[in-house]
Amino acid sequence: MSLEAYASAKQDEIHTDVLLQARQACYKARDAFYSCLEKHSDKKPTEIGSVGLLYPTECKPSREDYVKNCRVSWVKHFDRQYCKTKRTQRLLDDKETRRGV
């Protein structure tokens, strides 16, 4: 069997175990980064991530690991999702404060 024939036969094969492992590594790195953000939320954010996400210097190693393990589009998606959730939580907390609850 020639190399071209072998390569074309193997081209359509999808390795779902590799995809699963990559996804799990991404989720693990993402969760580590966001838990670092929560842990160091009292510190001043000095680093800039994607979509305007700010984070403290203490979280820089976990951010690098997160960016390394996840696709760029996923990082942007998760950062947007995190920012939206935090903004919503801030608004809800602000309304509760105004109401006196």
Side-chain angles (χ1 to χ4, degrees):
M1 180 182 257
S2 70
L3 183 60
E4 291 84 16
Y6 179 78
S8 66
K10 293 293 181 182
Q11 195 173 29
D12 295 334
E13 191 175 321
I14 297 175
H15 299 281
T16 56
D17 58 333
V18 174
L19 297 175
L20 176 66
Q21 291 170 357
R23 252 194 334 269
Q24 287 174 338
C26 174
Y27 295 155
K28 187 176 179 181
R30 176 200 62 186
D31 293 344
F33 173 66
Y34 290 131
S35 68
C36 179
L37 282 181
E38 296 299 321
K39 182 179 171 186
H40 297 291
S41 63
D42 58 327
K43 300 197 170 123
K44 182 174 174 75
T46 56
E47 304 295 322
I48 300 173
S50 65
V51 299
L53 176 71
L54 300 173
Y55 59 96
T57 307
E58 290 80 10
C59 297
K60 197 169 187 172
S62 61
R63 174 72 182 189
E64 290 170 356
D65 189 43
Y66 170 44
V67 170
K68 183 182 77 175
N69 282 306
C70 297
R71 294 178 178 191
V72 174
S73 60
W74 289 21
V75 171
K76 285 182 182 178
H77 169 74
F78 292 138
D79 285 351
R80 278 190 194 107
Q81 199 173 30
Y82 179 81
C83 289
K84 181 181 171 188
T85 303
K86 289 310 244 179
R87 185 172 40 250
T88 304
Q89 190 61 46
R90 251 192 332 267
L91 289 171
L92 290 173
D93 290 346
D94 189 40
K95 282 185 178 180
E96 286 178 6
T97 305
R98 287 184 193 173
R99 250 192 275 156
V101 173

